[in-house]
Amino acid sequence: MAGARLQPPSSASATASFNSFISKLLLLLTLLPLTLALFAFILQWRGGGVDDPISRWSPEESHKFPGMDSSPLATVGAHSSQSSDCSSILGNSNRLSFPYYRDWKFNFQADLKPKICVTTSTSASLEQILPWMFYHKVIGVSNFFLFVEGKAASPAVSKVLESIPGVKVIYRTKELEDQQAKSRIWNETWLSSFFYKPCNYELFVKQSLNMEMAIVMARDAGLDWIIHLDTDELLHPAGAREYSLRQLLLDVPSNVDMVIFPNYESSVERDDIKEPFTEVSMFKKNYDHLTKDTYFGMYKEATRGNPNYFLTYGNGKSAARVQDHLRPNGAHRWHNYMKTPNEIKLEEAAVLHYTYAKYSDLTSRRDRCGCKPTKDDVKRCFMLEFDRSAFIIASTATEEEMLNWYNEHVVWTDKTLNLKLLRKGILTRIYAPMVIIQGLREAGVFGSVIASAQASLTKDNFLASIESSNSTKADSSLSLSSRKVGRSKEYQATARRIFDAATSSYHEAAVPPLSPPKMDDDLKIEA
C-alpha cells in the first residue's frame, strides 16, 4: 500500500544513531584535555610562555639581595665568614636572595610615596634590632629613628646601626637630657600624671620625649608617616596588597590624620623560645577584631586565670601623618595641639606584640626595675596587673617555681584548648613575619650588614671610636630617675608649673597602655 512508505524510522535505528553520537562526544571530551596537557608540556619544555616566578631568578642574580647593589651589604667579601661573634649569632651566609619582592630597594628613591618612619627607644642587642628593622624595611619603612641606651648604645652595636641607610641613632647623653628638659611637655598637663615615677612610668615619659624629637626629624626629612614601635613589636599589614605597609597607608583617605593598629599578643607554645620572631606563629586577636559575643563568650577560657584577656596592653599602636602641631600622646597614640585628629581603626592590619615570649623576659624585666616585690610597691612601678605579678614572682620565687609559673600563665600547652580557640577565632596563626625574617637570616643579610660595618673601620679607627663613644656617652649609664625624667629635684621648679591653672592650658591626657575590656565591662560596651 502506498501509505506504508510514509511510516517513521524504527526505534532501534534511532537508538543506534543516538549511541553513536554519545560515543563521539565522549571521545572528544577525552582527547581535548589530553591535547591541552600535551600542548602545555611542549610550551614549558621549550620555554615558550610558562613563567614560574621562582625561575625568573637567574643564577647570576641569586647571590644578590634585591636592591642592595648600592648598599653596604653588597660590599661584603669573603672575610664575612671570618667576622666576629656578632656575625655568627645572626647567620653568616654570604648568599643573598630574597624572593618576596623582586627589585625591592632598601635605598629608597626620592619619589617613593608615602615615606614612612619608625621611631623607638631601645636598649636591645643586634640579635633583636636587626631582624626587627629589616622586616620593617621589607614591608615599606624607609627611615628609623633609634633612641638607644644600654646594649644598643655600645660601640659594637651602634656602629652597625649607623652604617645602615635610613637609620638615625640618637644616644641618651647629658646633652640630650638637657635638651629634653626644655621641652614644652614639662609645662603641660597631658603627661603630668606620669612624671617623677619609676620603672614603666619613667619609660613612658622618656618615650614621649623621644617621640617629640622624632617628629621634628621626620618633618625635616620630608617623611609622610611616623609610627612608634618597641623592638618586640612587628607591624602586620594584613589587608594590603603585597603585604605592604606602604600600600596600606597609601590607601588611607587624605583627611585621616591617624591610623590605629589593634595589637595581637603572642601565644607561645613552648618555654624554650630563643628567637620569638621566627619561632612564634600563634597570636591572640584583639577585641577590636572579634565579635562581642565571641570575645566575652570565650573570655574565661582565653584568659586562663590571668588578670586580663591580654598579658599586657590591648589598645594597639598608631601611625600619624607628619604635619604641623603634631605631638605624641604617650607611647600608643599621637595628638595635635591645634585640633582633634581624625582617626580610623584598621579592620585587618595589626601590630604583633611578642610579650613575655622568652622565659628570660621574666628576669630581664625584673633587672630593669628597682622596686620592692610587694603588692603596694609594684603599683608605683608598673601600670598593668600582669607585669606586677610577674615582677613579684621573678623577685621572690626559685628557678623551678618561676618556670612552673611561666608555663602555667604564659605558655599555651593545652593543645585541645588551643584548637578550640583557633576554631572560634580567638587565636590565629600568622606566618608571614616568621617566613620573611627567616628568609633574611638564611640570605645572610644580618651577618652581611655586621661584616660590612666592621670592614669600614680600621683597628685604630675602631679603638678611637670606642674612646670617643665612651666619653660622649659617659652620662648615658645614669639612671633617668636621677635626672629630669625620673625623680630629680633639679627641675621640679619648672615641673611644678604644670599645676598652675593660671598659666597652663588643658590638653587631652596621654593614652597609657590599657588592658582589653574585662567581663565586668560587657554591659558597658556597645555591640
Side-chain angles (χ1 to χ4, degrees):
M1 296 176 59
R5 299 189 189 95
L6 299 176
Q7 292 179 355
S10 67
S11 60
S13 176
T15 300
S17 175
F18 178 75
N19 289 340
S20 175
F21 171 75
I22 292 298
S23 299
K24 292 178 180 179
L25 181 61
L26 291 174
L27 179 62
L28 177 63
L29 292 176
T30 302
L31 292 175
L32 183 59
L34 291 174
T35 304
L36 292 175
L38 179 62
F39 180 66
F41 174 77
I42 294 172
L43 283 178
Q44 187 172 11
W45 177 63
R46 299 186 63 184
V50 178
D51 191 11
D52 180 5
I54 300 299
S55 68
R56 290 200 296 262
W57 293 78
S58 67
E60 290 76 15
E61 292 178 311
S62 65
H63 69 285
K64 294 183 180 180
F65 186 82
M68 303 310 294
D69 289 349
S70 58
S71 163
L73 299 184
T75 64
V76 180
H79 65 275
S80 63
S81 62
Q82 302 174 353
S83 59
S84 73
D85 292 340
C86 289
S87 299
S88 62
I89 61 176
L90 293 165
N92 46 20
S93 168
N94 289 324
R95 184 175 181 274
L96 299 180
S97 62
F98 193 65
Y100 303 103
Y101 289 94
R102 190 179 184 186
D103 297 326
W104 186 270
K105 304 295 184 183
F106 279 173
N107 53 334
F108 290 88
Q109 301 300 315
D111 58 350
L112 183 64
K113 292 291 183 179
K115 294 181 179 178
I116 306 165
C117 71
V118 166
T119 182
T120 191
S121 303
T122 183
S123 59
S125 65
L126 283 179
E127 296 170 88
Q128 183 166 333
I129 296 176
L130 288 185
W132 172 85
M133 180 186 297
F134 277 89
Y135 166 82
H136 286 106
K137 278 180 173 285
V138 167
I139 65 173
V141 176
S142 60
N143 293 75
F144 296 83
F145 302 122
L146 309 181
F147 291 81
V148 297
E149 300 180 62
K151 293 179 183 177
S154 66
V157 174
S158 60
K159 290 302 175 183
V160 173
L161 299 176
E162 289 174 344
S163 73
I164 302 171
V167 175
K168 174 68 175 176
V169 179
I170 304 98
Y171 302 96
R172 179 148 290 279
T173 61
K174 181 179 182 301
E175 290 73 21
L176 175 69
E177 292 186 11
D178 288 343
Q179 183 178 352
Q180 290 185 340
K182 301 173 184 177
S183 167
R184 63 183 292 179
I185 286 177
W186 294 100
N187 298 321
E188 297 169 349
T189 59
W190 58 271
L191 195 62
S192 60
S193 62
F194 299 88
F195 291 165
Y196 308 113
K197 294 181 179 179
C199 297
N200 279 13
Y201 292 90
E202 180 181 312
L203 174 62
F204 194 74
V205 173
K206 187 194 308 180
Q207 289 173 327
S208 299
L209 292 167
N210 292 344
M211 290 164 69
E212 183 185 50
M213 297 188 72
I215 290 171
V216 176
M217 292 186 283
R219 186 183 58 208
D220 292 345
L223 304 177
D224 301 302
W225 289 90
I226 184 169
I227 306 168
H228 174 263
L229 291 175
D230 297 324
T231 52
D232 63 352
E233 298 171 329
L234 299 178
L235 287 171
H236 173 54
R241 286 179 292 161
E242 299 181 330
Y243 201 71
S244 167
L245 177 64
R246 187 177 64 83
Q247 188 62 54
L248 189 74
L249 295 179
L250 187 64
D251 293 338
V252 172
S254 59
N255 66 328
V256 172
D257 304 303
M258 189 167 69
V259 175
I260 297 173
F261 292 80
N263 63 296
Y264 290 7
E265 192 173 79
S266 60
S267 300
V268 300
E269 299 168 83
R270 311 191 321 268
D271 61 14
D272 60 348
I273 299 292
K274 301 300 181 186
E275 298 175 350
F277 292 157
T278 54
E279 295 183 58
V280 178
S281 65
M282 192 166 74
F283 296 86
K284 189 186 289 186
K285 284 187 177 181
N286 193 285
Y287 169 82
D288 290 318
H289 285 181
L290 296 168
T291 65
K292 179 181 177 182
D293 289 343
T294 298
Y295 179 83
F296 287 111
M298 303 299 298
Y299 183 89
K300 289 185 178 179
E301 290 178 278
T303 303
R304 300 187 310 152
N306 287 319
N308 204 283
Y309 173 79
F310 275 162
L311 301 182
T312 52
Y313 76 88
N315 54 329
K317 290 293 182 74
S318 61
R321 237 183 252 280
V322 179
Q323 54 186 298
D324 292 340
H325 311 297
L326 180 67
R327 72 160 171 84
N329 200 33
H332 294 257
R333 293 292 188 271
W334 307 86
H335 200 62
N336 193 293
Y337 280 111
M338 302 304 293
K339 64 176 181 179
T340 300
N342 180 23
E343 66 180 44
I344 62 172
K345 187 172 290 184
L346 297 172
E347 297 180 355
E348 294 182 72
V351 56
L352 307 179
H353 186 200
Y354 296 77
T355 186
Y356 289 98
K358 295 187 293 184
Y359 170 63
S360 60
D361 288 345
L362 278 179
T363 53
S364 63
R365 289 170 184 258
R366 175 200 66 194
D367 296 341
R368 293 198 300 265
C369 201
C371 293
K372 297 176 182 178
T374 64
K375 290 184 178 181
D376 290 334
D377 204 54
V378 292
K379 291 180 181 179
R380 297 188 309 110
C381 302
F382 300 100
M383 304 178 201
L384 300 174
E385 188 62 35
F386 187 87
D387 286 331
R388 298 168 183 171
S389 300
F391 180 82
I392 292 175
I393 289 294
S395 302
T396 60
T398 65
E399 189 72 24
E400 182 180 359
E401 290 171 337
M402 283 175 55
L403 185 59
N404 290 338
W405 187 91
Y406 183 79
N407 275 283
E408 180 181 353
H409 292 270
V410 180
V411 183
W412 291 73
T413 55
D414 188 338
K415 297 184 182 299
T416 302
L417 176 61
N418 296 352
L419 182 59
K420 181 179 180 179
L421 295 180
L422 283 165
R423 288 172 173 169
K424 292 289 186 179
I426 296 285
L427 297 176
T428 186
R429 293 284 183 185
I430 300 175
Y431 295 101
M434 174 188 292
V435 173
I436 290 174
I437 292 175
Q438 188 60 34
L440 289 164
R441 177 174 283 109
E442 291 176 356
V445 173
F446 308 139
S448 296
V449 73
I450 292 171
S452 177
Q454 292 171 342
S456 66
L457 293 170
T458 65
K459 181 178 179 181
D460 291 340
N461 286 340
F462 186 70
L463 293 175
S465 71
I466 293 177
E467 183 178 354
S468 175
S469 297
N470 287 340
S471 62
T472 59
K473 303 173 203 172
D475 294 315
S476 65
S477 60
L478 290 173
S479 169
L480 288 179
S481 61
S482 66
R483 299 194 58 80
K484 179 156 187 177
V485 177
R487 301 183 295 273
S488 170
K489 296 182 179 180
E490 179 181 356
Y491 297 102
Q492 285 188 4
T494 301
R496 286 194 191 99
R497 284 184 290 169
I498 64 175
F499 301 107
D500 185 352
T503 59
S504 65
S505 59
Y506 172 79
H507 295 290
E508 181 176 331
V511 177
L514 298 173
S515 296
K518 294 186 176 182
M519 285 289 290
D520 297 340
D521 300 326
D522 190 2
L523 298 177
K524 304 175 186 178
I525 300 174
E526 296 182 0

